[in-house]
Amino acid sequence: MYEDPAPDPDPPATPAPVVQLPPPPPRRPDMPYPELATLAKQRRALVTLVWFRERRGQRLVATLAPDGSIEFADGARFFEPSEAATYAAGTPVEVDGWRAWRLGDGGPTLAEATGRHDEVRG
């Protein structure tokens, strides 16, 4: 004769409900990215940003200021890395400044240094 198996003393746990967090508030365009300010402060000095455009043989240089803004020798100042790269290149075509600018010659890109690897331009 067939007997029913004993009931499982530890039934499977019910998964916790997934809670959707609201997205962070949008960054004000007139303010630097907080992660760039943090990066600059961690370095405890003005950070030289370099973008070497191999095909054009250009080495473009800017400074990451302590507040996270990107500044040029001519006084131009940007809060958005892509706008700074586009300005430096002198091109109307948008440039992804997070991946163009490096911390010094051969250093990590801004995307790598701030952990923005997988984020879209912005």
Side-chain angles (χ1 to χ4, degrees), residues 32-43 64-69 114:
Y33 283 90
E35 57 263 54
L36 291 180
T38 299
L39 178 63
K41 288 174 187 168
Q42 287 172 343
R43 299 285 172 140
L64 180 61
D67 69 352
S69 64
T114 60

Side-chain angles (χ1 to χ4, degrees), residues 27 30-47 49 63-71 77-81 98 103 110 113-116:
R27 182 187 65 86
D30 61 336
M31 298 291 293
Y33 283 90
E35 57 263 54
L36 291 180
T38 299
L39 178 63
K41 288 174 187 168
Q42 287 172 343
R43 299 285 172 140
R44 296 191 178 131
L46 292 178
V47 178
L49 299 177
T63 300
L64 180 61
D67 69 352
S69 64
I70 298 172
E71 300 175 352
R77 182 174 179 224
F78 297 88
F79 297 126
E80 171 59 57
W98 290 98
L103 302 181
L110 288 179
T114 60
R116 291 178 62 101

Side-chain angles (χ1 to χ4, degrees), residues 18-112:
V18 176
V19 177
Q20 291 288 341
L21 297 175
R27 182 187 65 86
R28 289 180 33 191
D30 61 336
M31 298 291 293
Y33 283 90
E35 57 263 54
L36 291 180
T38 299
L39 178 63
K41 288 174 187 168
Q42 287 172 343
R43 299 285 172 140
R44 296 191 178 131
L46 292 178
V47 178
T48 300
L49 299 177
V50 178
W51 176 23
F52 185 63
R53 299 177 74 194
E54 289 186 46
R55 287 185 281 179
R56 298 191 182 265
Q58 292 177 315
R59 182 179 180 270
L60 306 173
V61 178
T63 300
L64 180 61
D67 69 352
S69 64
I70 298 172
E71 300 175 352
F72 292 91
D74 67 1
R77 182 174 179 224
F78 297 88
F79 297 126
E80 171 59 57
S82 296
E83 290 176 5
T86 301
Y87 173 82
T91 178
V93 178
E94 185 178 353
V95 177
D96 183 353
W98 290 98
R99 288 174 176 78
W101 293 115
R102 293 187 173 273
L103 302 181
D105 287 302
T109 65
L110 288 179
E112 293 165 344

